[in-house]
Amino acid sequence: MSKQFDVVVIGGGPGGYIAAIRAAQLGFNVACIDEWKNAKGGPALGGTCTNVGCIPSKALLQSSEHYDHASHHFAEHGIEVKGLGLDMAKMIGRKDTVVKQNNDGIVYLFKKNKVTFFHGRGSFAAAKDGAYEIKVAGAAEEVISGKHIIVATGSNARALPGAPFDEENILSNDGALRIGAVPARLGLIGSGVIGLEMGSVWRRLGSEVTVLEGLPTFLGAVDQQIAKEAKKAFDKQGLKIALGVKVGEVKNNGKKGVSVAYTDAKGEAQALEVDKLIISIGRVANTIGLSPEAVGLALDERGAIVVDGDCKTNLPNVWAIGDVVRGPMLAHKAEEEGVAVAERIAGQHGHVNFNTIPWVIYTNPEIAWVGQTEEQLKAAGRAYKAGTFPFLANGRARALGDTTGMVKMLADAATDEILGVHIVGPMASELIAECVVAMEFRASSEDIARICHAHPSLSEATKEAALAVDKRTLNF
Ligand code: FAD
Ligand code: NAI
């Protein structure tokens, strides 16, 4: 007889492992199956986010930023650095250690919460007696069964037709995070989140970086005032971003690197020669090896699992969350859905507010936002007021020597409810949290303007942006 569980989670990324823990907290007997292998073939819980996404990218962003500061900014502080060097093996090794700490942390959490972990690939085998049989193909093969199944199988990097990833010359996010030596010339296709974060890492470490973007608009989903400010900063740093290009033939020349033929925005033919090429043109939902057809689990035309607003699939008691379903491909969105689904299985009213999911791009300056952009409000015909405050006028930013950017707040013209906050500048990733709380509680801009903020702190710029909505900044 197969091992039986109340809840079986397929996928141990931020969606899956969090769903498993929350379900266990609610008293269910829970199993989680994950197939990720570390370099030694052992388990590496945490999915894309932990292994080749959020965590390793932020580790390298931090290391490369230290190097950039030591190379270019310490002198402003009167600190002289002589004989500055770069030990790439050590930098990549540190990143790997950070990843492992996170992998091990999840193993500990599973033990603490009594989640049974299976290392291997999970696939639907059959629906039987009000439960689902799931085949686990790991070191051994076995079948387990669950009354509820949560699919959290994540996503994979989208490849460019005609340019398959070899992770040597043509890299996905995986190869991009373990380049062994700084490439003299690095190309990126796609100036989205990965393009900008990875481009920043390698530019800071000394690569000449060229990013080819298909759309004519830079960061089209971002509030355009903020995107323009960010673009100015990236231009100044020497990150070359070509917009409105059409990528043609990509040739992998082995040891000689990669050639990219493209047409620029003026329609002129161009050629780019690089040592490495990162393709960052989005990600695709992953159901490889899941055998959805075995039970009739519905996928949409892009291969994502079809779910309703509550993450219910077309099958009773089968749920799907995170990157494998619609919505933004963000770790915290996957986590929120995981918690909500576990609570719904327990008969509670789990909720995810899609209007208040924050976005962060961890470049320098950081870009963060929540809610609607000015362009979206205009398109919706909504009457709004806008207030901006530059970090140039913020005492803490001056002391940090990091005055690029601004906070921009958008509020309803009649009710003053905050509709969106957009930040480009230092620690935008942390500053946005206050704005998410404000929007979740449906605060007005006046609420933020009347709240005492510590001095000197970057958060005063948020308060001043709120004051700016009412045209009464105090420090600008
Ligand atoms: P995943 O994390 O992809 O996890 C899915 C897991 O399921 C994997 O371990 C996979 O091996 C396993 N699996 C798949 N199929 C099976 C199967 N049949 N059987 C068993 N196991 C299976 N998001 C942020 O919010 N912030 C960031 O800073 C950020 N940075 C990123 C940087 C990069 C370079 C990339 C690529 C992504 C980044 N993301 C970031 C996005 C984030 O990684 C994803 O949104 C998040 O990982 C999605 O979580 P998930 O649980 O849905 O899927
Ligand atoms: P993306 O969707 O952010 O950006 C892809 C870019 O590639 C777009 O600007 C698109 O116009 C462009 N593009 C697509 N096809 C092209 C082509 N053929 N030629 C030229 N340009 C082309 O996707 P990205 O950067 O791959 O990241 C995937 C996802 O991972 C993100 O959407 C995000 O959800 C997640 N992520 C989140 C991070 C964070 O939260 N800080 C960091 C990194 C990734």
Side-chain angles (χ1 to χ4, degrees):
M1 175 134 152
S2 61
K3 289 178 193 150
Q4 298 190 344
F5 296 90
D6 300 321
V7 180
V8 173
V9 184
I10 306 177
Y17 91 76
I18 289 290
I21 289 172
R22 184 70 189 118
Q25 284 175 347
L26 290 163
F28 293 113
N29 179 18
V30 182
C32 179
I33 311 166
D34 188 84
E35 65 177 344
W36 205 289
K37 289 188 181 130
N38 61 25
K40 292 181 185 150
L45 275 162
T48 302
C49 169
T50 303
N51 292 296
V52 291
C54 326
I55 300 298
S57 61
K58 267 80 253 178
L60 287 186
L61 278 157
Q62 188 62 50
S63 299
S64 60
E65 190 161 6
H66 283 322
Y67 182 70
D68 192 53
H69 279 204
S71 312
H72 302 295
H73 304 294
F74 277 8
E76 297 156 23
H77 295 260
I79 303 167
E80 289 175 22
V81 184
K82 291 198 179 93
L84 186 69
L86 200 54
D87 181 342
M88 269 321 292
K90 195 160 179 182
M91 195 181 283
I92 296 286
R94 174 190 175 273
K95 179 261 306 177
D96 292 340
T97 304
V98 173
V99 167
K100 181 150 189 327
Q101 286 165 345
N102 282 273
N103 297 143
D104 293 349
I106 302 169
V107 172
Y108 161 79
L109 291 170
F110 274 5
K111 281 198 185 123
K112 181 180 156 199
N113 289 284
K114 300 192 175 50
V115 173
T116 306
F117 172 56
F118 292 88
H119 188 213
R121 172 168 286 181
S123 56
F124 283 101
K128 214 165 147 190
D129 306 330
Y132 293 88
E133 289 190 337
I134 306 292
K135 189 167 87 183
V136 185
E141 201 165 284
E142 62 184 305
V143 174
I144 64 175
S145 90
K147 279 186 219 140
H148 286 266
I149 309 296
I150 303 176
V151 182
T153 46
S155 63
N156 292 317
R158 183 191 303 280
L160 190 71
F165 297 121
D166 65 352
E167 304 298 0
E168 276 298 322
N169 280 6
I170 301 182
L171 314 173
S172 70
N173 55 297
D174 183 2
L177 288 160
R178 51 185 170 82
I179 301 176
V182 180
R185 300 159 307 166
L186 175 72
L188 291 108
I189 300 188
S191 73
V193 197
I194 296 181
L196 293 175
E197 290 189 358
M198 288 297 99
S200 294
V201 165
W202 296 104
R203 182 206 57 77
R204 290 171 193 167
L205 297 178
S207 297
E208 186 187 324
V209 177
T210 308
V211 190
L212 303 179
E213 165 61 43
L215 292 177
T217 315
F218 180 63
L219 288 178
V222 176
D223 186 281
Q224 282 302 294
Q225 188 178 2
I226 297 296
K228 284 198 180 100
E229 192 73 12
K231 177 79 168 38
K232 255 197 283 172
F234 299 143
D235 288 346
K236 208 163 135 198
Q237 290 164 6
L239 198 64
K240 291 187 203 145
I241 304 170
L243 300 173
V245 311
K246 195 165 173 357
V247 175
E249 192 188 10
V250 176
K251 252 169 98 183
N252 188 339
N253 306 317
K255 289 206 170 16
K256 290 199 185 122
V258 185
S259 319
V260 184
Y262 68 96
T263 314
D264 67 17
K266 293 185 198 133
E268 284 167 19
Q270 303 286 352
L272 177 71
E273 297 291 329
V274 289
D275 303 302
K276 306 262 180 204
L277 180 71
I278 299 172
I279 311 268
S280 47
I281 57 170
R283 297 180 62 80
V284 283
N286 170 38
T287 54
I288 297 169
L290 183 68
S291 302
E293 69 289 347
V295 286
L297 180 64
L299 309 185
D300 68 16
E301 63 290 348
R302 293 170 307 120
I305 296 175
V306 178
V307 288
D308 67 7
D310 286 346
C311 293
K312 280 186 184 148
T313 68
N314 64 315
L315 301 175
N317 300 338
V318 178
W319 312 74
I321 58 172
D323 280 12
V324 77
V325 303
R326 80 300 168 255
M329 289 187 171
L330 295 173
H332 42 283
K333 176 264 194 185
E335 291 180 19
E336 290 300 303
E337 287 183 334
V339 168
V341 163
E343 292 178 351
R344 284 174 196 137
I345 291 173
Q348 299 180 4
H349 297 279
H351 104 296
V352 181
N353 185 353
F354 275 83
N355 294 324
T356 55
I357 293 175
W359 276 85
V360 179
I361 307 178
Y362 294 82
T363 43
N364 185 1
E366 290 186 344
I367 304 165
W369 71 97
V370 58
Q372 311 226 49
T373 63
E374 200 164 347
E375 291 73 27
Q376 285 170 326
L377 293 176
K378 275 187 187 145
R382 182 113 184 224
Y384 65 91
K385 302 176 281 180
T388 57
F389 188 81
F391 285 107
L392 201 63
N394 174 274
R396 182 76 195 282
R398 286 194 202 118
L400 289 171
D402 200 352
T403 52
T404 308
M406 67 177 90
V407 179
K408 172 173 179 175
M409 192 174 285
L410 301 166
D412 186 273
T415 65
D416 195 32
E417 180 178 348
I418 299 171
L419 302 175
V421 185
H422 307 270
I423 307 175
V424 54
M427 301 307 279
S429 54
E430 301 296 331
L431 294 175
I432 202 67
E434 174 187 8
C435 310
V436 176
V437 173
M439 284 189 63
E440 195 64 52
F441 284 84
R442 303 195 62 178
S444 63
S445 78
E446 187 183 349
D447 288 328
I448 299 296
R450 287 191 181 279
I451 290 171
C452 181
H453 288 66
H455 177 76
S457 73
L458 297 169
S459 71
E460 288 173 291
T462 308
K463 175 185 171 125
E464 289 276 4
L467 285 164
V469 170
D470 199 30
K471 299 195 173 38
R472 55 186 183 97
T473 49
L474 295 165
N475 284 287
F476 189 62

